[in-house]
Amino acid sequence: MGFNKVVQNAEEAIKDIQDGAVIMLGGFGLCGIPENCINALVKQGTKDLTCISNNAGVDDFGIGLMLKTKQVKKMVSSYVGENAEFERQLLSGELEVELIPQGTLATRCLAAAYGMPAIFTPAGVGTEVAEGKEVRNFNGKDYLMEMAFEADFSIVKAWKGDSAGNIIFNKTARNFNEVMAKAGKITIVEVEELVPLGELDPNAIHVPGIYVHRIFQGTDYEKRIEQRTVSQ
Amino acid sequence: MGLNRDQIAKRIARELKDGMYVNLGIGVPTLVANNVPDDIEIVLQSENGMLGIGPFPTEEEVDADLINAGKQTVTLRQGGSYFDSALSFGMIRAGKVDLTVLGAMEVSDQGDIANWKVPGKMVKGMGGAMDLVASAKNIIVAMMHTDKEGNSKLLKQCSLPITGLKCVKRVVTDLGFFEITENGFLLKEYAPGVTIEDIKAKTEGRLEIAADVKEMEF
């Protein structure tokens, strides 16, 4: 009743994601990825997914797990990086991949979040990325028209959240999670800490609950580090 | 012969000015951070959402939620801040970042850059590079002058898929420091132990030698 958006767990949160759905997944590299929901999607076996996510995890963690099980039809990403399985599926043509500039990716989410149909960006002018896109000149500089994303679900990971769906991110785990949380038709949030209503400082909330549809307390976070660099 | 990776970074660091907001790419550009002159202060922007990248953490400080764009664990300097990816590229697009340093596979004598894909062989993705080169006022490229077979990477036209057009202002290679002008690459400094003839032989793009050309000092 009312504004209680809490669901039991990841399985419940993602159970109505159908084969062929378009989903956004937050995170940068492995930082701030929705680990619980990804694992639940692997378990559920949902197929033919279009995944909008900056990266595709690594071979044995994050979205890499869904690539291995061939659940992903298409990736929309900015960086393949060091994910060998992703690069292999891309080069062999098994996986459809749309590589787009990282800022374009973020801003197409932003457009969806702000109710704007399209944005203009100079990124990609004169490159493969510009093929088939409208170019507009403003004040002597060329810009590409890029459309707002239309995703069925946004799946993000936050640090703290409450039952009304207000959420706060931690440090650089904020990355794509904030903007994607605002961009989905249905937004699913897993949090490290689900706190009682009233405990979050309203001044500090990164995404107000109006954007969030389901929230749950995540478990067993691995929070894997890709490049563990330390000073002596 | 020629500069090593650290020397390339050291030379680029001399282009830093006090008060600059700087974005450093992955690889050699990251090393620039270790060579900031003592008498200036800069703030490093990381496109995954932070201003004020600090040194690597100690073992105790390591935090999976605090990484740079190269996915390395880092710390935050006093006065630093976190923000989301959309704002990060917003500040880049709005020209708030004063200097961008990035690596390249090829650069043309008009300042075009290619650094994200070798068709059929390797696809890294453009990451934030296309956004950075399209909006930065000031771009320095750090790269090797030739590939493993000795072919020039400073070209008349890039042969690989383009990342951005007419955007690179300066290039530091293992052989020298170049500005890009209407007339192509302008050699301003050559690396110790390298001759101007070597550089001419290894540069396919248009090359001019500055009137005041000199050996790079270390």
Side-chain angles (χ1 to χ4, degrees):
Chain A
M1 190 201 98
F3 295 91
N4 185 3
K5 299 176 181 183
V6 178
V7 295
Q8 201 56 39
N9 52 31
E11 285 72 24
E12 189 189 339
I14 60 112
K15 69 168 187 270
D16 61 343
I17 300 183
Q18 311 272 329
D19 291 353
V22 178
I23 61 176
M24 288 182 172
L25 294 130
F28 180 94
L30 300 179
C31 181
I33 59 172
E35 299 181 20
N36 285 205
C37 285
I38 291 170
N39 291 337
L41 279 166
V42 171
K43 213 162 99 187
Q44 183 168 280
T46 317
K47 292 189 300 289
D48 297 322
L49 293 167
T50 293
C51 294
I52 302 167
S53 178
N54 189 55
N55 313 84
V58 293
D59 289 342
D60 61 345
F61 194 56
I63 297 175
L65 296 169
M66 300 201 296
L67 292 177
K68 210 186 255 175
T69 51
K70 305 276 172 70
Q71 288 173 262
V72 183
K73 184 182 70 177
K74 182 178 178 183
M75 281 300 309
V76 181
S77 301
S78 86
Y79 197 68
V80 180
E82 291 69 38
N83 186 329
E85 179 64 14
F86 187 7
E87 188 167 8
R88 189 194 66 72
Q89 290 192 18
L90 191 169
L91 289 170
S92 70
E94 283 166 60
L95 178 71
E96 205 183 321
V97 179
E98 186 182 347
L99 284 171
I100 61 176
Q102 193 174 139
T104 301
L105 181 63
T107 315
R108 288 175 67 186
C109 295
L110 187 84
Y114 281 63
M116 302 181 295
I119 54 127
F120 290 94
T121 175
V125 169
T127 75
E128 284 179 17
V129 168
E131 282 166 21
K133 289 178 185 156
E134 183 180 336
V135 178
R136 285 274 286 275
N137 190 287
F138 296 97
N139 304 318
K141 185 166 173 167
D142 284 339
Y143 294 79
L144 298 183
M145 186 167 79
E146 296 277 6
M147 306 307 288
F149 280 123
E150 289 188 39
D152 301 312
F153 294 89
S154 272
I155 302 174
V156 308
K157 175 352 185 42
W159 178 36
K160 292 181 180 179
D162 64 23
S163 59
N166 298 302
I167 51 176
I168 294 176
F169 304 96
N170 186 39
K171 305 192 179 96
T172 57
R174 195 160 159 187
N175 55 54
F176 279 88
N177 282 305
E178 180 179 338
V179 72
M180 285 183 172
K182 301 174 191 162
K185 289 194 191 88
I186 295 175
T187 291
I188 298 167
V189 183
E190 54 177 90
V191 291
E192 281 182 53
E193 230 182 297
L194 189 65
V195 303
L197 206 61
E199 196 160 293
L200 299 178
D201 174 0
N203 279 314
I205 287 166
H206 292 136
V207 178
I210 192 168
Y211 283 109
V212 173
H213 302 83
R214 299 168 197 168
I215 189 166
F216 67 93
Q217 168 72 58
T219 57
D220 303 313
Y221 282 107
E222 192 177 330
K223 296 180 78 166
R224 204 185 284 186
I225 292 170
E226 267 177 273
Q227 307 278 341
R228 191 186 187 88
T229 44
V230 293
S231 57
Q232 302 317 313
Chain B
M1 195 183 85
L3 306 182
N4 61 34
R5 287 159 54 90
D6 201 53
Q7 288 172 309
I8 293 174
K10 200 169 272 180
R11 178 60 192 85
I12 290 172
R14 289 181 200 154
E15 302 299 302
L16 301 171
K17 306 263 183 302
D18 189 44
M20 273 184 168
Y21 292 98
V22 181
N23 181 292
L24 300 176
I26 296 165
V28 174
T30 305
L31 302 175
V32 173
N34 305 333
N35 293 286
V36 180
D38 290 335
D39 56 344
I40 70 167
E41 200 181 326
I42 62 164
V43 169
L44 295 176
Q45 197 255 14
S46 193
E47 64 262 29
N48 58 317
M50 69 187 291
L51 276 164
I53 309 174
F56 292 147
T58 60
E59 279 291 348
E60 296 72 42
E61 289 171 334
V62 167
D63 184 346
D65 287 343
L66 182 43
I67 64 167
N68 65 16
K71 284 114 181 170
Q72 297 172 312
T73 47
V74 292
T75 55
L76 183 77
R77 282 193 191 281
Q78 202 168 40
S81 57
Y82 303 114
F83 36 85
D84 81 312
S85 301
L87 184 60
S88 182
F89 284 94
M91 64 183 72
I92 288 166
R93 206 179 297 114
K96 305 295 181 191
V97 174
D98 300 301
L99 175 67
T100 294
V101 183
L102 70 177
M105 297 172 190
E106 295 177 347
V107 170
S108 84
D109 61 22
Q110 297 127 74
D112 303 343
I113 176 172
N115 69 353
W116 70 283
K117 182 179 181 183
V118 181
K121 282 194 192 146
M122 186 280 292
V123 185
K124 290 195 315 174
M126 63 290 280
M130 282 190 183
D131 308 274
L132 283 158
V133 302
S135 295
K137 294 163 281 191
N138 200 354
I139 300 173
I140 303 178
V141 165
M143 66 191 293
M144 290 295 139
H145 206 97
T146 57
D147 65 18
K148 288 196 183 81
E149 285 79 45
N151 302 307
S152 179
K153 293 162 73 169
L154 277 61
L155 304 169
K156 288 191 179 74
Q157 296 285 342
C158 292
S159 64
L160 296 170
I162 290 288
T163 307
L165 297 171
K166 296 184 171 56
C167 53
V168 178
K169 301 285 189 288
R170 285 166 281 179
V171 181
V172 180
T173 74
D174 49 327
L175 302 186
F177 176 85
F178 306 83
E179 284 178 7
I180 295 181
T181 72
E182 286 176 354
N183 301 319
F185 299 106
L186 178 67
L187 176 67
K188 300 279 287 182
E189 297 172 27
Y190 50 87
V194 172
T195 68
I196 292 173
E197 290 312 310
D198 290 334
I199 293 172
K200 282 184 177 165
K202 289 176 176 168
T203 306
E204 193 238 13
R206 291 172 298 151
L207 177 70
E208 275 193 326
I209 314 300
D212 58 349
V213 68
K214 58 178 184 178
E215 184 174 301
M216 206 177 284
E217 286 170 29
F218 281 101

